[in-house]
Amino acid sequence: MRIHTLIVEDDTGLRESLEKSFRRKNHDVVCVSEVCDAQRLLRERKIDLVLLDNRLPDGTGLDVLTKARELDEETAVIMMTAFPEVKTAVNAMKEGARDFIVKPFELEELHLTVQRALEERELRRSVQRLERERRSRGEITEILGESDSIEQVRDQIRKVAEADTPVLVVGATGTGKELVADSTHRLSLRSKGPLVKVNCSAFSEQILESELFGHEKGAFTDARDARAGLFEMADGGTLFLDEISEMKPGLQAKLLRIVEGQRFYRVGGQREVRTNVRIIAATNRDLKARIRSGDFREDLFFRLNAFQIIVPPLRDRGSDVVLLSRFFLLRSAAALRKGTLGLSPDAEQILLSYNWPGNVRELQNVVERAAILCESGQIGTEHLPGELQAQTFLTQQAKDGSGSMPSLAEIDCRYMAHVVETVGGNLSEAARILGVARNTLKAKLRATE
Ligand SMILES: Nc1ncnc2c1ncn2[C@@H]1O[C@H](COP(=O)(O)OP(=O)(O)OP(=O)(O)O)[C@@H](O)[C@H]1O
Ligand SMILES: [Mg+2]
């Protein structure tokens, strides 16, 4: 495939030598020296690559960059800054430039930069193509993982999606309940209709009621106009009720009537409103216990529980932890423009043995943070939060096979020594990880010697 390249440079000598050099590499090249011409060409032609000077007679490179991104996000733009205008380069990267190069540069260096940018672009495009193909085959692409337990979840979604019954999604925080709702809606016969989401714990009872059911003018002090509720907005589609356990019994009764007959009244209304909505509810609490304590209606539970999907905690998904980490790492590396980032075997081991109380959301945060801290192309244990290292250490101590049970004080000491060793004897760093003052750490280490 021939690369269509636009060179924007007002220095005639440089422009001509770039043109010659890229023609020789078989690019299809057009050259301009002003912002307005560059913008016109971007509109008129298909451009894959832009080599962009920053200071131009009628504006700056950023003006061209913005236009290029607006017309086609996939156009690779490389800024050529006259002298280390770091600020401009940083701004340009934020606006979506692929890379920048500082003048004067060797042509060879520029070709390498271009090659990298084009390879990255090709990779992204093939990932997107694959994703589109899999989606059009009805595959559930948003829920990643190869473990049996997550495969089962996808299987259940495929089975229930078209059935149009209510679905109850149960799982601990951060396990992906909302993703389950997304894909159930997408694979359902209602996929062209709206998917409306509401978190039942985010509002007081009165506000939640008028959010869900709407209200007539004058229904309460602030109700200056009549307003349709989420049940009406979701007509023909799906309503996702997140944290359903937090809904108050009064509202539960009203919800039950809708689930049974799909009719209701707006707050303060006299007229029956009809709606055709599928309900997907989610909870991270034990609804049976809420029923026993009188906080949740059993009859509503049975209705919503027509089909239950249990989303397993991350620690029960085996090596999905690594697969998900690689995925989040790829995404963060692209967002941070850090090329490719790998996982060291030690870091991988820690991720695998940690028990992830916050599940996939916690993993995502840990990986994103590590990607920001990492300067070397590979995530090591030092980029992981202290509590992961601590818990992994404790698990290993408990599993050390000798059968002995160390006291907490002893584990404390061993752990301090472990952290000091891991950071190469840097006491300040060790104290920071351990969350104690440096002097305290020093004193404790001395006491154990
Ligand atoms: N299997 C998965 N593959 C890819 N991303 C996932 C997966 N599971 C969860 N995530 C991501 O993890 C984050 C948390 O997921 P989600 O919001 O669906 O969890 P939740 O169960 O609804 O949590 P909560 O109970 O706190 O509301 C989201 O950013 C989601 O995209
Ligand atoms: Mg959620």
Side-chain angles (χ1 to χ4, degrees):
M1 191 192 70
R2 215 151 168 223
I3 308 290
H4 299 269
T5 299
L6 168 64
I7 297 172
V8 190
E9 172 59 68
D10 60 340
D11 175 334
T12 315
L14 178 60
R15 189 174 64 238
E16 285 174 1
S17 79
L18 289 174
E19 179 176 13
K20 228 166 54 202
S21 168
F22 278 87
R23 286 239 159 90
R24 218 176 291 134
K25 297 254 178 194
N26 204 26
H27 284 222
D28 175 51
V29 183
V30 279
C31 293
V32 295
S33 55
E34 295 191 6
V35 171
C36 60
D37 294 328
Q39 291 180 332
R40 181 175 47 77
L41 278 172
L42 282 166
R43 268 194 304 270
E44 289 171 359
R45 299 188 185 205
K46 171 184 176 302
I47 301 284
D48 306 301
L49 169 71
V50 185
L51 301 176
L52 188 54
D53 183 22
N54 184 39
R55 299 198 173 180
L56 295 158
D58 59 337
T60 73
L62 282 180
D63 304 327
V64 179
L65 173 64
T66 317
K67 190 84 210 161
R69 299 282 299 169
E70 176 193 313
L71 291 167
D72 181 1
E73 284 223 325
E74 289 304 311
T75 307
V77 180
I78 293 174
M79 299 288 293
M80 307 180 288
T81 43
F83 27 81
E85 292 175 305
V86 179
K87 244 190 164 155
T88 313
V90 169
N91 277 340
M93 299 295 273
K94 276 195 198 136
E95 292 300 317
R98 253 322 124 222
D99 214 335
F100 67 93
I101 191 164
V102 177
K103 293 178 185 174
F105 49 78
E106 298 288 330
L107 276 177
E108 216 26 60
E109 189 191 346
L110 178 62
H111 280 298
L112 273 178
T113 308
V114 164
Q115 192 188 340
R116 221 172 30 228
L118 291 176
E119 276 170 9
E120 224 180 279
R121 171 173 176 269
E122 202 37 52
L123 189 74
R124 230 186 357 263
R125 280 170 31 145
S126 59
V127 168
Q128 280 167 359
R129 205 159 41 233
L130 264 175
E131 176 114 335
R132 264 202 307 278
E133 279 169 24
R134 291 178 52 198
R135 266 173 192 262
S136 65
R137 285 203 301 270
E139 287 184 38
I140 299 170
T141 49
E142 53 271 72
I143 302 177
L144 300 175
E146 290 169 351
S147 58
D148 288 347
S149 52
I150 209 70
E151 185 48 54
Q152 241 173 44
V153 169
R154 282 194 296 257
D155 210 40
Q156 289 177 315
I157 294 173
R158 277 189 289 264
K159 285 196 178 113
V160 78
E162 292 195 0
D164 220 38
T165 56
V167 177
L168 180 64
V169 189
V170 180
T173 179
T175 46
K177 295 185 293 298
E178 192 165 337
L179 284 186
V180 170
D182 291 340
S183 40
T184 307
H185 174 74
R186 191 170 59 72
L187 295 191
S188 75
L189 301 170
R190 299 170 173 269
S191 60
K192 296 251 162 18
L195 167 61
V196 176
K197 301 179 177 180
V198 61
N199 186 331
C200 301
S201 74
F203 304 100
S204 71
E205 182 174 10
Q206 195 208 359
I207 293 181
L208 182 61
E209 178 172 20
S210 89
E211 281 291 314
L212 286 174
F213 304 106
H215 56 75
E216 295 298 347
K217 189 172 169 176
F220 43 88
T221 334
D222 292 334
R224 272 179 227 107
D225 295 299
R227 222 184 81 189
L230 299 175
F231 266 103
E232 282 171 76
M233 291 186 204
D235 192 25
T238 307
L239 182 63
F240 177 57
L241 296 173
D242 205 359
E243 305 209 31
I244 187 78
S245 61
E246 305 314 300
M247 189 182 268
K248 295 283 177 300
L251 274 184
Q252 291 174 26
K254 208 162 169 183
L255 176 60
L256 179 67
R257 279 200 297 281
I258 297 196
V259 180
E260 291 183 328
Q262 308 267 4
R263 277 166 206 216
F264 61 96
Y265 297 91
R266 285 182 178 175
V267 177
Q270 304 291 322
R271 186 172 51 92
E272 252 193 353
V273 184
R274 266 173 171 276
T275 180
N276 174 6
V277 170
R278 177 198 212 167
I279 293 178
I280 302 181
T283 179
N284 55 25
R285 302 191 52 174
D286 180 1
L287 281 184
K288 291 245 174 74
R290 304 278 290 170
I291 293 172
R292 280 194 301 275
S293 62
D295 295 308
F296 206 82
R297 293 182 67 116
E298 190 166 27
D299 44 9
L300 178 62
F301 172 75
F302 284 123
R303 284 288 179 171
L304 297 178
N305 200 35
F307 193 96
Q308 191 181 95
I309 298 181
I310 299 179
V311 193
L314 182 57
R315 63 177 161 279
D316 292 348
R317 300 188 207 172
S319 58
D320 277 0
V321 173
V322 178
L323 179 146
L324 286 165
S325 312
R326 295 234 161 87
F327 169 76
F328 294 138
L329 210 50
L330 202 74
R331 209 169 57 180
S332 307
L336 298 164
R337 308 200 181 280
K338 284 201 174 177
T340 49
L341 284 176
L343 258 185
S344 76
D346 286 349
E348 192 174 307
Q349 207 45 53
I350 288 190
L351 296 180
L352 276 168
S353 46
Y354 183 60
N355 81 345
W356 299 111
N359 295 292
V360 185
R361 183 179 297 111
E362 186 182 9
L363 175 66
Q364 192 174 325
N365 291 341
V366 164
V367 170
E368 280 168 5
R369 174 180 174 275
I372 291 171
L373 294 177
C374 179
E375 304 283 353
S376 61
Q378 193 174 53
I379 305 292
T381 54
E382 70 276 19
H383 302 121
L384 300 177
E387 70 262 26
L388 261 76
Q389 305 187 28
Q391 193 209 310
T392 310
F393 177 84
L394 290 174
T395 325
Q396 277 159 6
Q397 289 289 312
K399 283 195 234 160
D400 78 352
S402 66
S404 72
M405 299 240 201
S407 70
L408 282 178
E410 199 181 330
I411 288 195
D412 238 31
C413 294
R414 284 200 223 163
Y415 183 58
M416 278 187 304
H418 166 76
V419 172
V420 172
E421 194 190 314
T422 310
V423 297
N426 179 340
L427 288 190
S428 309
E429 176 65 3
R432 191 189 58 75
I433 292 175
L434 289 163
V436 298
R438 189 170 174 280
N439 281 336
T440 313
L441 175 62
K442 247 171 118 174
K444 287 197 167 177
L445 286 172
R446 204 171 304 131
T448 60
E449 268 166 10

XYZ file of all heavy atoms in Angstrom, residues 174 177-178 240 242-243 282 361, ligand 2:
67
model
N -16.715 -3.825 41.045
C -15.657 -3.818 40.039
C -15.496 -5.087 39.232
O -14.517 -5.244 38.499
N -20.184 -5.780 36.225
C -21.627 -5.961 36.108
C -22.221 -5.044 35.039
O -23.113 -5.431 34.306
C -22.311 -5.686 37.455
C -21.919 -6.704 38.526
C -22.688 -6.495 39.808
C -22.328 -5.195 40.510
N -20.897 -5.132 40.931
N -21.676 -3.824 34.987
C -22.221 -2.888 34.006
C -21.904 -3.350 32.581
O -22.709 -3.182 31.663
C -21.648 -1.492 34.266
C -22.380 -0.433 33.493
C -22.079 0.967 33.998
O -21.669 1.121 35.174
O -22.245 1.907 33.208
N -31.246 -0.038 32.959
C -30.286 -0.692 33.857
C -30.407 -0.058 35.231
O -30.116 1.128 35.408
C -28.870 -0.532 33.294
C -27.799 -1.104 34.188
C -27.822 -2.440 34.583
C -26.737 -0.315 34.630
C -26.832 -2.983 35.404
C -25.735 -0.837 35.447
C -25.790 -2.173 35.835
N -28.842 0.028 38.593
C -27.635 -0.364 39.305
C -27.869 -0.218 40.813
O -28.604 0.666 41.242
C -26.479 0.548 38.855
C -25.147 -0.123 39.044
O -25.107 -1.265 39.540
O -24.123 0.498 38.681
N -27.234 -1.081 41.589
C -27.377 -1.058 43.047
C -28.839 -1.085 43.473
O -29.297 -0.262 44.281
C -26.634 0.150 43.638
C -25.174 0.149 43.193
C -24.257 0.813 44.198
O -24.553 0.759 45.400
O -23.239 1.368 43.764
N -28.708 -4.701 38.884
C -27.418 -5.215 39.366
C -27.293 -4.964 40.855
O -27.849 -3.991 41.385
C -26.271 -4.538 38.632
N -11.757 -3.333 38.373
C -11.527 -1.891 38.469
C -10.225 -1.608 39.199
O -9.445 -0.739 38.780
C -12.694 -1.194 39.164
C -12.482 0.325 39.191
C -13.592 1.103 39.844
N -14.851 0.972 39.158
C -15.894 0.325 39.646
N -15.803 -0.245 40.833
N -17.013 0.243 38.984
Mg -21.348 -0.714 38.362
